[in-house]
Amino acid sequence: MARKITYQQAINEALDQEMARDPSVIVMGEDNAGGEGSPGEMDAWGGVLGVTKGLYHKHPGRVLDTPISESGFIGAAIGAACNGLRPVAELMFVDFMGVCFDQIFNQAAKFKYMFGGKAETPVVIRTMYGAGFRAAAQHSQCLYSLFTHIPGLKVAIPSNPYDAKGLLIQSIRDNDPVIFMEHKVLYTMEGDVPEESYSVPFGEAAVVREGDDVTIVALGRMVSFAQDAAQALQKNGIHCEIIDPRTTSPLDEDTILESVEKTGRLVVVDESNPRCSMASDIAGLVAQKAFGALKAPIEQVTAPHVPPPFSDALEDLYIPNAAKIESAVSKIREYG
Amino acid sequence: MSQIHTLTMPKWGLSMSEGKVNGWLKELGDGISVGDEVVEVESEKIAGAVEAPVAGILRRQVVSEDDIIPVGALLGVIADEEVSDADIDAKVEDFLANFVPPSEDQEEGGPAPVKIEIEGQRLRYLKRGEGGNQVLLIHGFGGDLNNWLFNHEALAAKREVFALDLPGHGESVKAVGDGSLDTLTDRVIGFMDTLGIESAHLVGHSMGGAICLNLAKRAPSRVKSLVLVASAGLGQDINGDYIGGFVESQDRRSLKPLLSELFADTNLVTRQLVEDMLKYKRLEGVTDALRTLAGKLFPEGRQAVTLRPALDAFGKPILVIWGGADQIIPASHAPTPGGRVQVGVLNGKGHMVQMEAANEVNRLIDDFLG
Amino acid sequence: MSDTLNRERLLRAYRTMRTIREFEERVHTEFATGDIPGFVHLYAGEEASATGVCMHLRGDDYIASTHRGHGHCIAKGVDPVGMMAEIWGKSTGSCKGKGGSMHIADLSKGMLGANGIVGGGGPLICGTALAAKMKNDKTVGVCFFGDGASNQGTILEAMNLATVWSLPAIFVAENNGYAETTSSSWSVACDNIADRASAFGMPGVIVDGFDFFAVHEAAGEAVRRAREGGGPTLIEVKVSRYYGHFEGDQQTYRAAGEVQKLRDEKDCLLQFRRRVTADGDITDAELGTIDAEVLALIDDSVVRAKADPKPGPDDLLTDVYVSY
C-alpha cells in the first residue's frame, strides 16, 4: 500500500466510492455546492473545509446543499433513511448538535426500539470535532461521549486515514444510525490507504502498539499523541500497549480488558472534558471488570473541566499531549 | 583480511523505515563465520536475524537491546583482530557522522511495486535486480508479494527477480474467475508474455508451487527450473481447518491463532502481520475470491489437484524446500531426492519457511540457481 | 387516486371517523379505570382532519404524526387492534409494547410514528419527501402538527427546507386552540398559522376542521400539487379537541360548556351524517350498521388487549440496533 493520502481525502474517497456503488447513498450539508443559488462557481467549497469537494458534479443531484437549518436537514436525512435512502449528512461542527440533538437522539436513535423493531434508519451524520484550530468554545468540543451514551446510535472515531475510509464505508453500509466523528486537525494527516473499497468493522479495537508494561487507551487524535509518548517511554525501557477503540458504540471491551489483564496498568487518553467522558467510562469498565489485574490506580489524561479556550496559550494547555501521557504513565509505573 | 565491515539495520519490505534490536546473538570478541546470525532485529512486521556477510571478530556492538534505529543505521562492526581499535573507532565515528536516515518519503529511486493491466485485469508486481536471468516468485493462498520480503533482495543480487500478486491477492485484481489452477496459471503466463519473459526460473510457495508445476506441465519451454516451497499439488493432505478458518475470519481475535499455524515460532506472528492480513481481507472482493479458490482447489479439507506426474515429467532441475514442522501441508509430501530433484527439509520450521528460515532458504535457492 | 367522493368513499370516510371516535371514547373510559399505563392524548373531535387528509394518500405515502396520534394512525390504515394492545403495553401491540400511545408507528403503512416531541415530525417528513422526489415515485409526505408545534423551530425549518428543495410535502397544522393549557390565540403571534405560509413561499389555506368536506377538498388540492412536483402547502385546520391535553387533564382552562356546545353543534360525525343522509344517497341505517361494526371491532380490541401477554424480560434488550 504505497499510496498515501490524507484523512480528508480518505473520507472523500469513501463517499465517492459508496455513491458509485449504491445509488441510494446521498450526501447533504451546508456549503456542499459552495452556496447553491449564488452567482459564483458551484462546488467551490464542498463543505466548510472542502471534504466533499468534487462530489457535487461527479454525482449529479445526489449532493445536496442545505440551508443553515441543522434540525431541518439532519431530521430530513433521518426521514429519508426511513424511506429507502442512505443519507450521509454533514453536521459542520459537532458543537452545532445543540440545535438538532432532538432529531438525533429522540428520533433516529429511538425509532428501532420505540417502533418495536420495525424501523431501520441507515443514516450517517458526519461531524467535525476537536480542539487545535483556535476556534474556541463553540467550535472545538469533542462530545462523542454524549452520542455514545444513547442507545440506538453507533459512534465511530477514526484516528487515521485508513480507518477514516474503512469506518465511513462501514457506517454507510450499516443499517443503524451512525455518528461519524472527524477530528479537524487530522484532516491533513497522511497515511497508507488502499485504493480499493474496504470496510473496517465496528466494535473491533485496533492494537496500535504492543507492550507489556502499561495499557494506553486513546481516541481519535489522541492516538498519535499516545504513540509519541510510547516511543519516548520505550527509550526508558517502558513498553506501552496502545489501544484505539475506533468505535465507542459498540465498544470493544474485550480487547481493553485483555490488555489490562496483561499490563495491570491503564492510562486513558481522551480529548474531551473529563466528567462523564469516554475516559471515565473506560476507567469505570476496567475498575469493574479487571479490578484484580490492576497494579496501580487508573490514570485519565483529558482536557480540564473548562470550555475549549481561544488563546493559543490557553488552548495548548487545554489539549492533552504526549508529555502529559508520558507523565501519567510514569506516575503509575512508579506506584506501589 | 584487514577490512572493517559495518553491520547495519536491514530493510525488510518497502514500509520498513526503522527496526528494533531484540538482542545480540554473538558476544563482543566472538569469532564470526560467514552466515552466522549475529544480532536479532525486528521490524513492525517480523523478527529475524542479521547474518554476517564476512568472517572476522565482532569488535563493536554499537546498539543494545530495545534500541530502535533507522534502516541502514549502524548495528556493529566485524573486523579481523589485527585491525586496531583506533581504526575501528575512526570508522564508527565516520559512519555516525555521515549517516543520513532514509527520509519519510522513502525510496528515492528504490524499487517500487508496479501495477499493470493485462486484458483489463490489474496485476501488481515488484521487480528487483537486473541481468536477464529471470526468476518469478509466486506466493501462496492468501499471501502476496511481501511473502518474499526476506528472499527477494537476496535472490536479486545476481538475477532479475519478479514477485507478483496473484489475482485475488495483494493489490492485484480481486476477481479470480472460476478459481481453477488453470485460470491462475493463465494469468501468470499472461504476465510473462506482457513483460516479454520468454522463460524463467519459477519459485512457488504453497498454492503458488502448484501454479508453477501446472505452468511447467502446460508450457515446459517457459520454465528453466522449479523451486517448490511447501508446495501444494504434491499430495492430497492440507489443513482444511486452516483454509476454512482463514477464508471466513474477519477479525484479529480469530485470525491470529490461524496465522500462528503458518509458523513454527509463533512469536513471528506480530501485531502488524495480523493487522496487514486483516487489511487485505477487508478489501472488497477478497473473501469471495478466497472462497472461490478454496472451493476449487482445497474442497473439504483435501487438495483437489495432484501434479505429481507433472513433477516427474518435468525434465529440468527441481528444488523442493519444506519446513519440517509445516502444519498446513505436511513435509511428507516432499518427493524423494535424486536425479534432477533436490530436497531440503528444514527441521523445526513451519509453512512460511521462506520467512522463518530466510537465510537458509535463500542459500538453498541461490546455490540451486547458480 | 380519485378525489371524487362517491358513495363508497363517503362510507369509507365515515367508517374511519367513526373508528377513531369509538377508539378514543373507549380509551377515555378504560383509562379512567386505571388499567392503561402512561400518558394518553386523545384525538376525539378532530377526526375530520386526519380522515379528510389521509383519504388522498396511498399506502406508500408517508405521514408524521404527533403525541395526539391515534386518529392519524387509524386514518393511515394502522390496525386498531394492534394499537389498542400497544396502548395497554402488550407484546401484541403495534410496537410490541415498547412504544406506547405516543409512539405508535407502522412504516409498512407509511405511518412514521406518533411523536412524543412537539414538532419532531417536520424535518422527518422533509426526509421522506426528499426520498420520494429522488426516487421519483410520486409519493408525498404529510406532517401533522399542532398549534404548539407551529412555534417550534423544527417546523419552521422544515417548511423553509421543503420550499428550498421543492419537496412533495404537506404541512397540516391542526390548531385545536390549546398547546397543553396555553391558548393558541396567545402563543401564536399571528392571526392564523396559515399566514406563515407566505413567509416560506408556499400556499397557505385555512379550513374548518369540523367539516370533513372542507378538509378533504383543501387536502386534495395540496396533495395533487405535491404529486405533480408543485412543492409544499400549509393547511391550517381549525378544530377542537373534546378531551384534555392528556387523560386526567381537568381542562380548567376551558370555558364551562365549551366542549358540550361543540359536540352538540359542530361535531364532525354529526355534520357528516346530516349532509350525506340529506342528499339521500346514504341512509341512516347504513351508517348505523357501520356504527355497530366499529363498536364490535373496538370491543374486540379491548378484550384482546386486556387478555394479551405483556412483553417478557428478554424483550427489554432487543430491537435497539439492527446489529451491534
Side-chain angles (χ1 to χ4, degrees):
Chain A
M1 280 183 295
R3 186 190 67 148
K4 284 192 192 302
I5 59 173
T6 65
Y7 187 89
Q8 173 164 339
Q9 287 167 329
I11 290 164
N12 184 287
E13 187 168 279
L15 291 169
D16 187 21
Q17 290 182 352
E18 284 302 281
M19 290 185 87
R21 183 188 66 85
D22 180 353
S24 70
V25 176
I26 64 164
V27 165
M28 63 170 79
E30 291 154 6
D31 306 309
N32 262 317
E36 184 126 26
S38 57
E41 184 192 351
M42 287 291 261
D43 199 26
W45 272 29
V48 66
L49 293 188
V51 178
T52 59
K53 193 165 178 53
L55 301 179
Y56 186 86
H57 292 297
K58 205 162 173 189
H59 304 282
R62 291 166 60 198
V63 177
L64 305 180
D65 234 357
T66 70
I68 301 177
S69 294
E70 283 87 2
S71 268
F73 79 79
I74 293 291
I78 293 161
C82 294
N83 192 12
L85 297 187
R86 289 186 175 271
V88 182
E90 180 177 292
L91 177 60
M92 192 184 291
F93 291 89
V94 72
D95 314 72
F96 303 170
M97 80 166 177
V99 296
C100 60
F101 208 12
D102 172 67
Q103 291 292 324
I104 300 171
F105 89 116
N106 275 325
Q107 311 296 336
K110 301 294 195 287
F111 284 168
K112 177 94 184 139
Y113 193 81
M114 203 162 70
F115 299 163
K118 287 180 287 189
E120 288 188 9
T121 315
V123 66
V124 182
I125 298 167
R126 291 179 41 240
T127 186
M128 193 177 4
Y129 76 100
F133 267 30
R134 320 306 186 197
Q138 295 173 341
H139 290 74
S140 303
Q141 300 170 88
C142 288
L143 303 182
Y144 36 67
S145 58
L146 296 182
F147 299 114
T148 306
H149 178 70
I150 295 162
L153 299 180
K154 292 176 176 171
V155 184
I157 312 177
S159 68
N160 59 72
Y162 174 86
D163 285 347
K165 179 172 169 181
L167 287 171
L168 183 52
I169 289 175
Q170 177 60 36
S171 301
I172 293 169
R173 296 180 187 181
D174 203 280
N175 290 319
D176 292 307
V178 179
I179 311 298
F180 190 83
M181 309 284 306
E182 302 168 8
H183 199 296
K184 53 178 85 69
V185 174
L186 292 181
Y187 278 138
T188 52
M189 178 191 201
E190 287 199 332
D192 291 334
V193 179
E195 289 167 42
E196 294 165 272
S197 181
Y198 61 91
S199 63
V200 171
F202 286 177
E204 190 180 331
V207 180
V208 177
R209 181 190 182 102
E210 283 179 316
D212 293 330
D213 296 329
V214 176
T215 300
I216 303 176
V217 177
L219 293 157
R221 186 187 179 202
M222 299 297 106
V223 174
S224 43
F225 291 169
Q227 284 173 296
D228 293 344
Q231 190 93 357
L233 288 160
Q234 168 125 1
K235 296 198 171 78
N236 305 329
I238 300 173
H239 302 276
C240 296
E241 181 146 301
I242 301 174
I243 293 175
D244 171 5
R246 291 201 281 221
T247 56
T248 55
S249 179
L251 179 68
D252 182 355
E253 297 186 3
D254 290 346
T255 296
I256 296 170
L257 294 171
E258 277 165 21
S259 178
V260 176
E261 294 285 350
K262 178 174 73 173
T263 63
R265 293 180 166 85
L266 174 66
V267 174
V268 195
V269 191
D270 179 356
E271 193 189 311
S272 305
N273 301 115
R275 308 300 307 276
C276 298
S277 62
M278 283 317 300
S280 60
D281 183 72
I282 290 167
L285 168 81
V286 168
Q288 188 190 359
K289 295 188 177 172
F291 184 72
L294 287 172
K295 300 172 192 158
I298 297 164
E299 274 292 310
Q300 300 180 35
V301 181
T302 67
H305 188 63
V306 301
F310 167 63
S311 168
D312 55 354
L314 297 176
E315 195 187 34
D316 290 345
L317 289 173
Y318 172 90
I319 304 170
N321 58 33
K324 289 177 189 170
I325 299 168
E326 278 179 59
S327 106
V329 169
S330 300
K331 186 173 160 193
I332 58 172
R333 275 276 295 174
E334 288 154 16
Y335 178 86
Chain B
M1 93 175 215
S2 60
Q3 276 190 336
I4 301 171
H5 286 274
T6 52
L7 212 53
T8 56
M9 179 61 78
K11 182 172 177 65
W12 287 332
L14 297 174
S15 64
M16 181 171 173
S17 60
E18 61 184 20
K20 186 179 139 206
V21 179
N22 279 350
W24 286 91
L25 303 169
K26 295 286 183 188
E27 300 292 327
L28 211 55
D30 279 0
I32 307 275
S33 308
V34 174
D36 278 359
E37 298 187 339
V38 183
V39 56
E40 188 181 280
V41 300
E42 93 177 21
S43 74
E44 277 192 314
K45 294 184 199 299
I46 195 153
V50 178
E51 289 191 344
V54 297
I57 290 170
L58 183 59
R59 299 286 296 269
R60 292 287 184 279
Q61 294 177 339
V62 179
V63 294
S64 46
E65 193 174 328
D66 273 357
D67 280 358
I68 294 174
I69 60 170
V71 165
L74 191 59
L75 292 163
V77 176
I78 298 171
D80 287 342
E81 56 190 328
E82 59 261 29
V83 177
S84 74
D85 280 335
D87 284 352
I88 290 176
D89 288 340
K91 176 86 176 178
V92 169
E93 207 170 302
D94 182 56
F95 187 103
L96 295 177
N98 292 308
F99 175 67
V100 182
S103 73
E104 277 289 309
D105 307 334
Q106 71 191 37
E107 253 94 274
E108 300 92 16
V114 175
K115 289 175 191 165
I116 51 170
E117 300 262 329
I118 302 175
E119 291 171 9
Q121 309 278 316
R122 186 180 65 252
L123 271 190
R124 182 180 72 149
Y125 70 95
L126 174 63
K127 181 191 157 191
R128 286 177 181 273
E130 300 293 340
N133 189 15
Q134 288 154 330
V135 179
L136 253 62
L137 305 177
I138 301 176
H139 63 79
F141 179 75
D144 65 15
L145 55 81
N146 289 316
N147 290 167
W148 307 103
L149 203 61
F150 303 120
N151 320 102
H152 199 162
E153 196 166 4
L155 297 176
K158 293 190 271 181
R159 307 167 191 92
E160 193 173 330
V161 184
F162 300 86
L164 56 127
D165 286 343
L166 289 169
H169 293 79
E171 294 185 27
S172 288
V173 65
K174 295 303 173 295
V176 295
D178 63 357
S180 69
L181 213 49
D182 278 335
T183 300
L184 295 175
T185 306
D186 287 343
R187 297 286 173 77
V188 176
I189 293 173
F191 172 78
M192 293 174 76
D193 292 344
T194 305
L195 271 80
I197 302 171
E198 182 48 42
S199 66
H201 303 283
L202 301 189
V203 181
H205 174 244
S206 196
M207 180 184 80
I211 294 170
C212 293
L213 264 172
N214 195 43
L215 204 155
K217 176 180 142 190
R218 288 178 41 190
S221 67
R222 311 292 299 266
V223 186
K224 291 179 186 162
S225 72
L226 283 174
V227 179
L228 306 175
V229 183
S231 184
L234 298 176
Q236 288 205 333
D237 304 319
I238 190 160
N239 183 339
D241 290 344
Y242 168 80
I243 298 289
F246 178 80
V247 171
E248 299 308 325
S249 167
Q250 300 295 346
D251 60 52
R252 175 165 34 83
R253 218 172 289 279
S254 61
L255 192 59
K256 189 166 181 184
L258 288 163
L259 296 182
S260 297
E261 295 186 46
L262 294 171
F263 296 87
D265 177 3
T266 57
N267 286 328
L268 295 175
V269 183
T270 60
R271 180 199 67 78
Q272 191 64 43
L273 189 112
V274 178
E275 189 56 35
D276 286 351
M277 188 56 82
L278 277 173
K279 284 182 175 175
Y280 158 66
K281 295 209 73 219
R282 287 177 192 136
L283 293 173
E284 197 112 301
V286 164
T287 299
D288 287 344
L290 292 176
R291 270 190 200 133
T292 303
L293 290 171
K296 198 78 174 182
L297 304 175
F298 315 121
E300 287 149 29
R302 311 291 291 172
Q303 295 192 46
V305 186
T306 303
L307 291 159
R308 181 70 73 152
L311 181 110
D312 297 334
F314 184 61
K316 296 173 208 173
I318 299 172
L319 170 64
V320 175
I321 300 173
W322 229 290
D326 192 323
Q327 300 172 66
I328 308 299
I329 303 177
S332 60
H333 284 198
T336 315
R340 296 167 291 96
V341 181
Q342 298 176 38
V343 176
V345 175
L346 306 178
N347 290 326
K349 304 300 177 186
H351 189 63
M352 302 302 285
V353 61
Q354 81 278 28
M355 299 181 92
E356 204 163 5
N359 295 322
E360 286 168 272
V361 168
N362 291 345
R363 233 181 332 272
L364 283 169
I365 299 176
D366 214 36
D367 292 349
F368 172 76
L369 295 177
Chain C
M1 184 164 295
S2 163
D3 288 352
T4 319
L5 284 171
N6 58 22
R7 204 181 121 75
E8 177 268 326
R9 286 173 61 77
L10 286 170
L11 288 173
R12 189 150 64 82
Y14 181 79
R15 183 182 295 274
T16 300
M17 290 195 290
R18 173 53 71 191
T19 306
I20 298 170
R21 175 65 55 83
E22 199 63 44
F23 190 95
E24 297 295 61
E25 295 286 7
R26 191 58 180 271
V27 171
H28 175 73
T29 314
E30 295 291 340
F31 192 89
T33 69
D35 246 14
I36 296 176
F39 303 148
V40 175
H41 310 84
L42 299 180
Y43 194 70
E46 307 184 30
E47 292 85 349
S49 175
T51 308
V53 173
C54 292
M55 286 284 286
H56 296 283
L57 301 183
R58 316 189 324 208
D60 53 355
D61 290 323
Y62 273 93
I63 66 165
S65 173
T66 71
H67 56 285
R68 197 174 305 288
H70 302 167
H72 306 130
C73 289
I74 291 171
K76 195 66 178 59
V78 181
D79 173 27
V81 176
M83 290 172 59
M84 195 64 88
E86 186 61 33
I87 288 168
W88 250 268
K90 298 305 179 69
S91 66
T92 51
S94 317
C95 307
K96 300 189 201 166
K98 294 181 174 183
S101 164
M102 266 189 290
H103 306 301
I104 296 173
D106 187 344
L107 274 77
S108 71
K109 304 281 188 202
M111 166 61 197
L112 193 52
N115 207 314
I117 306 300
V118 171
L124 299 174
I125 275 305
C126 284
T128 67
L130 173 68
K133 185 178 174 183
M134 297 191 83
K135 293 189 282 188
N136 195 26
D137 62 8
K138 304 290 177 202
T139 62
V140 302
V142 177
C143 173
F144 289 100
F145 63 100
D147 44 290
S150 77
N151 302 320
Q152 280 280 37
T154 46
I155 291 296
L156 306 175
E157 286 189 25
M159 287 198 281
N160 184 63
L161 192 60
T163 299
V164 166
W165 280 347
S166 189
L167 297 177
I170 297 102
F171 294 88
V172 179
E174 295 178 323
N175 183 353
N176 66 16
Y178 299 95
E180 299 206 29
T181 66
T182 302
S183 169
S184 60
S185 64
W186 178 84
S187 68
V188 177
C190 42
D191 292 340
N192 303 292
I193 296 169
D195 297 345
R196 292 177 175 168
S198 65
F200 299 110
M202 68 176 81
V205 291
I206 298 170
V207 294
D208 173 4
F210 290 102
D211 180 354
F212 165 81
F213 296 94
V215 175
H216 185 265
E217 188 182 347
E221 173 62 17
V223 170
R224 184 192 56 73
R225 184 164 48 242
R227 280 201 211 288
E228 289 171 0
T233 304
L234 170 61
I235 301 170
E236 180 179 1
V237 180
K238 304 257 194 201
V239 70
S240 192
R241 55 170 152 84
Y242 290 168
Y243 294 109
H245 166 62
F246 51 79
E247 281 310 88
D249 169 12
Q250 296 306 306
Q251 300 198 74
T252 51
Y253 48 88
R254 296 183 89 162
E258 179 183 323
V259 172
Q260 195 54 51
K261 188 169 155 58
L262 291 168
R263 277 187 184 266
D264 293 344
E265 295 173 9
K266 296 207 68 178
D267 184 74
C268 60
L269 283 158
L270 212 61
Q271 288 196 56
F272 185 93
R273 178 183 285 258
R274 263 193 219 125
R275 178 156 164 184
V276 297
T277 52
D279 290 350
D281 210 21
I282 290 171
T283 65
D284 253 335
E286 282 177 293
L287 298 180
T289 306
I290 290 174
D291 291 348
E293 287 169 358
V294 166
L295 183 61
L297 171 72
I298 300 302
D299 274 346
D300 179 52
S301 74
V302 171
V303 171
R304 287 163 65 170
K306 286 179 172 174
D308 281 345
K310 289 187 176 177
D314 290 348
D315 297 319
L316 176 66
L317 303 180
T318 58
D319 299 325
V320 183
Y321 295 94
V322 177
S323 63
Y324 196 61

